[in-house]
Amino acid sequence: MVFVLVGLVTLGAALVTVTTKQLVHAALWLVVALGGIAVEYLLLTAEFIAWVQVLIYVGSVVVLILFGLMLTRAPIGRSPDADSGNRWLALAVSLAAAATLVTVVVDAFRATWIDLEERTGPGQGSSEVTGTALFRHWVLPFEALSVLLLAALVGAIVLSKRNSDAGSGSRPDGAGAAPARRNKAGES
């Protein structure tokens, strides 16, 4: 029952994330949605994956999004260009994608049940099993992802610098500079 309630809250937060016209509010609702997914992992006794979800997605990715919004000087309030007018097409595509995903997952795991009472060793979501799989098979993709996130942060800083230099009116040749003040003797 708790699993379904947390799932409904997560779904509601995800819907608000994609329907709001305020970018900062969308990022904060994304925190709620990703936190709900972490709670779902905890309810499935996958504690390691839950804390990775919190640290990487809630902690790093959302902070990176907020930094990107601040560094590129995105509008803080309502953004008129946040709605492209394709809302109904996007809704139809997302519902079709969700129906396909649910169908595939239900078909694939129809006969699979998680027995929370009987444990013979570390479970599939335990730290030991997950750590072994990550550091044996998935080290390179994690490192590639960290480089990609670093490149995105550097790109946001470069875009921010370009926009601030263009808006200040100063030019490298000094043509946009203010005229020098003359002292009392009339010399500059």
Side-chain angles (χ1 to χ4, degrees), residues 30-99:
L30 183 62
V31 169
V32 175
L34 294 174
I37 293 172
V39 171
E40 297 285 31
Y41 284 137
L42 280 176
L43 291 173
L44 291 172
T45 68
E47 70 274 356
F48 180 75
I49 301 297
W51 294 119
V52 166
Q53 171 82 15
V54 169
L55 289 174
I56 293 181
Y57 287 106
V58 176
S60 303
V61 173
V62 172
V63 167
L64 184 67
I65 289 170
L66 290 173
F67 275 151
L69 289 173
M70 288 185 287
L71 288 173
T72 58
R73 296 191 180 142
I76 299 297
R78 287 191 173 269
S79 178
D81 54 340
D83 191 9
S84 68
N86 294 328
R87 187 176 296 250
W88 296 109
L89 178 63
L91 179 65
V93 169
S94 63
L95 287 176

Side-chain angles (χ1 to χ4, degrees), residues 65-185:
I65 289 170
L66 290 173
F67 275 151
L69 289 173
M70 288 185 287
L71 288 173
T72 58
R73 296 191 180 142
I76 299 297
R78 287 191 173 269
S79 178
D81 54 340
D83 191 9
S84 68
N86 294 328
R87 187 176 296 250
W88 296 109
L89 178 63
L91 179 65
V93 169
S94 63
L95 287 176
T100 303
L101 180 65
V102 167
T103 303
V104 167
V105 168
V106 167
D107 187 46
F109 296 106
R110 180 169 298 167
T112 304
W113 293 97
I114 299 173
D115 187 11
L116 299 178
E117 300 298 324
E118 183 181 328
R119 287 259 173 112
T120 58
Q124 283 297 106
S126 71
S127 302
E128 180 183 343
V129 172
T130 308
T132 303
L134 283 178
F135 290 112
R136 188 169 293 155
H137 304 291
W138 297 100
V139 172
L140 186 61
F142 270 25
E143 290 301 321
L145 181 64
S146 68
V147 171
L148 179 68
L149 290 173
L150 178 64
L153 181 63
V154 170
I157 291 171
V158 168
L159 287 174
S160 162
K161 288 292 185 183
R162 230 184 262 163
N163 288 343
S164 67
D165 289 345
S168 67
S170 63
R171 291 183 10 198
D173 60 0
R181 299 184 116 194
R182 296 182 182 261
N183 62 13
K184 290 183 181 179

